[in-house]
Amino acid sequence: MKQYLYRLGIAGLATMQVMMLAVALYLEVFGDLEPEFKNYFRWVSLIFATPVMLYSALPFYINAWRSIRSRTLGMDVPVSIAMIFAYFASLVATVTEKGEVFFESISMFAFFLLVGRFLEMRARRKAAAASGNLLKLIPAIATKLDGDQVPVKTLKLGDRIRVLPGEHVPADGKIISGRVHIDESMLTGESVPVVKTIDDHVYAGTLNGEESFELEVTSSKADSMISNIVRLQDEAQLSKPKIAEIADIVARYFVAIILVIAAGTWYYWHQANPDDAFWIMLSVLVATCPCALSLATPTALTCATSRMGNYGILLRKSHVFETLCKVNHLIVDKTGTLTHGDIVISKVDLIADVTESKALAIAAALEAHANHPIARAFKRYSDKQTVVDNVENVIGSGIEGTYQGKQVKIGSASYILGESAFAEPNSVYLSIDGVHIATFRYQDPIRKEAQSFIERFKKSGIKITLLTGDSQANADVVAKEIGIETVIAGAKPQDKLEYLKQVDERDITMMIGDGINDAPTLAGAHLSVAMGGGADVAKASADMVLLGDHLERILEARQLALQTRKIIRENLAWSLGYNLLILPLAVAGLVAPYFAVVGMSASSIIVVSNSLRLLKEQGK
């Protein structure tokens, strides 16, 4: 940024000085200028224009040379050709005292083009700063339990540290003592602090409340949640969606066509009017430079990606903005997605001769091997004396293992009681050696925003399907309350994926889920969203991760995607329209080089300024 400011400053100062001299040369405001004065003004203009050519315009030459070496035609190729031709032609005219000079066009061209690039760089910097600022929240020093202070980067897995009130958490880890309120707004966008107790995970950079607590480190700084977010955001910005790739290809062909047209223009005017042929060719090169076309998409996507981060949404794939605009079929999981997933065991029905505490302990030992909201509900009942071996996770059905030489299983009614069993709502079943011994009743409140979330998607004409591995009874209760008509329940992971393959080919699907059993469907959908509190494998399979688990953020993301598409289309329409309008005028010799510079630069600045609107709050 500093280098660009230096280049921009030199180009701006030189342009002002050269333009004052150019006014005298063009208009001869002092009357008929004596030849020696005219030549003096040209030499002074040459002195001012030379630093612009050698320093300010250097990035254009470097980019043009890279394009030529890689056998592509970037937009800096015609820019560099036009500037070099104009400079050396004006230099010859100054030395020989014959012909016209266009030092003011060279300086102005470099200045306005640098202004456009500077605005684009500023937009990218704002987006990068949003990510970079996250890393600054991680403190440099951590305090160990013995009071020693050590650099955070030296912390190892298993180290135990103390976090004092009002401090930022130095590393990802789990709480080993204390009950605290953690401000996770920098991750989720949600300002209300979250209550954390023993065995809950906290993340580096989040802010501790008014109580100190002890923490066991579970991730290095490089593998922390914040570092992964920054890394994924950088990857999302570096990877190009299809519309950006198409724009780049169009720009390359456009440059090739411009070079051919410029050569043809020179040849025609060399036959018709040799004195003007060079300058008309120069006008064609400058006026039709596809700078605005090349800036149209990347600047808009950069600003939109930064805005998405403010919503607490992490982008993992580059096609999100395009696909989000086209979605016409929403497929959503139930537990942990439409419901909070903050499940509590409300009642235990004992079927066989076993105590409630023993049944809960066996269930907790089995569920300790799963990462699902229902499994987490059993965590508080774990007992170190109750050990289950040979555990196998039957995804979509339940878990089985060996306890004191007996087979124990926990899961759905069909898995424990048989396919024909009647499944009661919100129930999990436990068996020992095939004998049903206990039924656990649980409560899982529906998210308060779930109903309005579904209603707004329905108003947009989007089909909605509830696709869950839970029982039909549980699914129907939730579907009825929030207004979903199409319900597919009891679906195993392969069933979910099979359903996805069977949907209408015209449907552009968006899947929202959080569990291991959702991972195949998340990977297979056109667009997938994983809940931030869900399983790691689900987040790894998704195109977007909803860090704060707030469904309304997806609606905001869709509005942003639609706004981004609109701005990209406006940018492309403006840049293509301008080039198509100015090209015949330039070929006809009706556009002077200095006017071509202003028009081309103005179109780039308009495109970048239009894209910067995406950084503003929607609706403001």
Side-chain angles (χ1 to χ4, degrees), residues 334-352:
K334 182 182 75 70
T335 307
T337 304
L338 292 175
T339 63
H340 278 284
D342 188 13
I343 293 172
V344 293
I345 305 301
S346 57
K347 186 181 179 186
V348 181
D349 293 336
L350 299 173
I351 312 300

Side-chain angles (χ1 to χ4, degrees), residues 325-395:
C325 297
K326 301 174 186 175
V327 167
N328 56 16
H329 188 174
L330 173 65
I331 302 170
V332 61
D333 180 41
K334 182 182 75 70
T335 307
T337 304
L338 292 175
T339 63
H340 278 284
D342 188 13
I343 293 172
V344 293
I345 305 301
S346 57
K347 186 181 179 186
V348 181
D349 293 336
L350 299 173
I351 312 300
D353 185 17
V354 64
T355 63
E356 181 176 312
S357 59
K358 179 53 68 176
L360 284 168
I362 295 171
L366 283 166
E367 294 287 10
H369 297 272
N371 184 16
H372 189 271
I374 296 175
R376 291 196 287 272
F378 287 93
K379 186 187 293 185
R380 68 184 67 180
Y381 304 109
S382 61
D383 177 5
K384 291 182 179 178
Q385 274 79 42
T386 306
V387 179
V388 176
D389 302 313
N390 306 318
V391 177
E392 183 181 351
N393 197 328
V394 184
I395 295 174

Side-chain angles (χ1 to χ4, degrees), residues 259-327:
L259 293 175
V260 171
I261 290 174
T265 301
W266 177 85
Y267 180 78
Y268 169 79
W269 283 102
H270 187 69
Q271 306 298 322
N273 187 354
D275 291 339
D276 293 336
F278 179 80
W279 302 108
I280 293 172
M281 178 199 72
L282 203 62
S283 295
V284 171
L285 282 171
V286 172
T288 57
C289 172
C291 302
L293 180 63
S294 294
L295 292 171
T297 304
T299 51
L301 290 173
T302 297
C303 294
T305 301
S306 175
R307 189 96 199 96
M308 201 74 91
N310 293 342
Y311 290 155
I313 294 175
L314 175 61
L315 301 186
R316 299 191 67 255
K317 302 288 174 64
S318 58
H319 67 85
V320 166
F321 288 105
E322 286 174 282
T323 313
L324 202 50
C325 297
K326 301 174 186 175
V327 167

